[in-house]
Amino acid sequence: MTSPQSDPAPQPPQPPQGHAHGHTHSHGPAAPVSKHLRKVIAAVVIPFATAVVVGLIAFWPGGVPDHERTGVGFDRQTQDGKVVQVVKVDCADVNAAQVPPTGDTSTPSGREAVNEQEGECAKATVEVTSGDDKGRKFVEVVQPDAPRQLREGQGVVVAYAPDAPRDLQYSVTDVNRKIPMTLLAAIFALAVIAVGRMRGVMALVALAVSFAVLTLFILPAILQGSNPLVVAVIGASAIMLAALYMCHGVTARTSVAVIGTLISLLLIGLLGSLFIGWADLSGNTDDNTGLIHGLYPDIDMSGLLLAGVIIGSLGVLDDVTVTQTSAVWELHQADPQMGWRGLYRAGIRIGRDHIASVVNTLVLAYAGAALPLLLLFSIAQSSVGTVANSELVAEEIVRTLVGSIGLVASVPVTTVLAALVVSADRPGASTSSSTAAAPARAGRGRRRKA
């Protein structure tokens, strides 16, 4: 009675066993790799993982360095607030101290000046709901053409300027979006768990680990003055090891994906370093990066740009390498007699379709993020050459193309690694695999012989 249950051979009278067999190979625990090959893979992965741990310990920052707040941009003290009252008033009454408009409405500044005198403004009373001044109220005047209008009962974020006059210490800087953002995150987590089940749970755990490495190691270490490239490589490697092994198990198949991802990341780092330096990209192109450089002048901004390229490419690389490795493993299971060249040719055909979709996805993702910038160039009727030559757009082009080259290279690299590993398996593993595929009665006879 025990032998047929332990033999997962797919036979017409025993469909449940056949299903169990396919499920086992799909998720890796019964991967057809001999102990010898597992030792070879471990000899590569374990030293790499050890080096990552040593790097984390050596560069661990111990927290974000303190600095004196400038009160500019994100570098401000903020508290939560709530709009308790909104009344409509004549803009001329609340803008009495404004410079009188010229009457010329052909320019944006002229139209704004006219609206400040002739339009209807909103006078909002805002209450601070957190911090030492909890319960304190102040007045915020909202112009009629302001992009954000306030409403009664709305949660807001208020900035605190301790050096300003008392009546001007607080001002509304943004809307409080904590509730909708938390709800959206909960829906996302439920969707992942509902579809992925235990693997979905592990994916969420891996996501939490990734954010922890990013916020507790990568960002503080860069602010402490460590080399951004070195920190990014160590942090990205830690994220890669945690995410892949948590989501896909500690198997030889996952280890092949890890090695393929590592090789592709090294290629991205080399190409990124070469072309960021060759194109003289400073990495200091907007108000946010300028503020960072002003607060921490020792940070290598071009190195920070390269670090962003490496970390940004990691997520898509994981997907490509895991998919290619799984494809080669399944091809080997379908035809154990296929050599590594046959496995590579079959796997690369799958990879070509993956390359086309992934590269397009990456380019569109970067284009979508830079859409307002591209719109400004379109308004200015700039030529394609002028747009591409500007540092803002050149950064995105280098980021996109370097990442895409790494993605394209990861397909043949991972495919050939996986093909070599599964085809180089020792006869013992192949025999056990073929034994499992034999009829139940024959399986009992073979086990008795063994």
Side-chain angles (χ1 to χ4, degrees):
M1 294 296 293
T2 57
S3 295
Q5 291 175 352
S6 62
D7 190 345
Q11 297 183 57
Q14 297 174 321
Q17 282 80 358
H19 176 76
H21 174 75
H23 181 81
T24 299
H25 283 297
S26 173
H27 294 292
V33 176
S34 65
K35 290 183 179 180
H36 173 71
L37 278 179
R38 285 198 293 270
K39 290 179 180 178
V40 172
I41 294 172
V44 176
V45 174
I46 291 177
F48 167 63
T50 303
V52 171
V53 173
V54 172
L56 287 172
I57 295 173
F59 286 89
W60 193 262
V64 177
D66 294 329
H67 71 280
E68 185 176 351
R69 289 187 179 274
T70 62
V72 178
F74 289 103
D75 193 38
R76 291 180 287 186
Q77 299 182 41
T78 59
Q79 301 292 346
D80 293 335
K82 182 179 181 180
V83 180
V84 295
Q85 186 183 33
V86 177
V87 294
K88 296 295 183 179
V89 295
D90 190 353
C91 286
D93 295 336
V94 295
N95 293 326
Q98 298 287 338
V99 177
T102 61
D104 182 11
T105 59
S106 62
T107 63
S109 59
R111 289 192 294 271
E112 182 179 350
V114 170
N115 288 335
E116 288 178 353
Q117 295 296 321
E118 300 179 356
E120 188 178 49
C121 295
K123 188 176 182 180
T125 302
V126 182
E127 180 181 354
V128 180
T129 58
S130 66
D132 296 336
D133 289 335
K134 182 178 181 180
R136 179 175 167 181
K137 295 181 180 179
F138 65 95
V139 174
E140 182 86 6
V141 176
V142 183
Q143 303 297 331
D145 56 352
R148 183 188 301 111
Q149 299 294 320
L150 300 180
R151 64 180 185 275
E152 191 171 322
Q154 185 178 31
V156 294
V157 178
V158 297
Y160 175 59
D163 297 333
R166 180 173 174 79
D167 292 342
L168 302 176
Q169 284 182 331
Y170 280 98
S171 61
V172 175
T173 61
D174 208 344
V175 174
N176 193 327
R177 304 180 179 88
K178 293 179 181 177
I179 293 178
M181 297 296 284
T182 302
L183 179 60
L184 181 60
I187 294 173
F188 164 73
L190 289 175
V192 171
I193 294 173
V195 176
R197 300 190 180 182
M198 193 59 199
R199 285 183 176 269
V201 173
M202 295 308 297
L204 293 177
V205 173
L207 182 62
V209 171
S210 299
F211 273 106
V213 172
L214 184 64
T215 57
L216 298 178
F217 174 72
I218 295 177
L219 300 180
I222 291 175
L223 292 177
Q224 291 281 13
S226 299
N227 187 299
L229 176 58
V230 176
V231 170
V233 169
I234 295 172
S237 299
I239 291 172
M240 173 185 66
L241 290 170
L244 288 178
Y245 284 119
M246 280 185 178
C247 295
H248 305 285
V250 183
T251 65
R253 177 164 53 186
T254 307
S255 298
V256 171
V258 166
I259 297 172
T261 304
L262 174 62
I263 294 173
S264 302
L265 281 178
L266 291 175
L267 176 62
I268 290 174
L270 290 173
L271 287 176
S273 180
L274 172 63
F275 283 95
I276 287 174
W278 195 0
D280 289 326
L281 299 178
S282 66
N284 189 2
T285 54
D286 57 25
D287 293 339
N288 292 327
T289 54
L291 178 59
I292 293 171
H293 187 63
L295 293 173
Y296 300 96
D298 293 334
I299 292 180
D300 180 6
M301 299 303 293
S302 61
L304 186 62
L305 173 61
L306 179 56
V309 173
I310 293 174
I311 296 172
S313 303
L314 178 61
V316 188
L317 271 178
D318 287 353
D319 174 50
V320 172
T321 55
V322 169
T323 301
Q324 286 304 114
T325 305
S326 296
V328 173
W329 242 260
E330 295 301 325
L331 288 168
H332 178 73
Q333 290 301 291
D335 185 3
Q337 303 304 319
M338 188 184 299
W340 75 268
R341 288 185 178 85
L343 288 170
Y344 174 78
R345 285 193 294 267
I348 205 67
R349 285 195 294 269
I350 299 172
R352 291 191 185 105
D353 291 334
H354 207 180
I355 287 173
S357 61
V358 167
V359 169
N360 194 45
T361 300
L362 191 64
V363 171
L364 291 179
Y366 283 127
L371 199 57
L373 177 63
L374 297 177
L375 188 60
L376 286 176
F377 281 108
S378 179
I379 293 173
Q381 297 182 351
S382 302
S383 65
V384 175
T386 302
V387 172
N389 190 65
S390 67
E391 185 169 2
L392 275 172
V393 177
E395 278 189 6
E396 298 303 324
I397 292 175
V398 171
R399 192 194 312 269
T400 302
L401 296 182
V402 168
S404 297
I405 291 171
L407 289 175
V408 171
S410 70
V411 172
V413 167
T414 308
T415 304
V416 74
L417 282 174
L420 289 171
V421 167
V422 295
S423 63
D425 192 23
R426 285 183 172 178
S430 300
T431 303
S432 62
S433 177
S434 61
T435 300
R441 292 178 182 174
R444 285 196 298 269
R446 286 193 176 108
R447 275 191 294 273
R448 282 196 293 268
K449 290 180 180 179

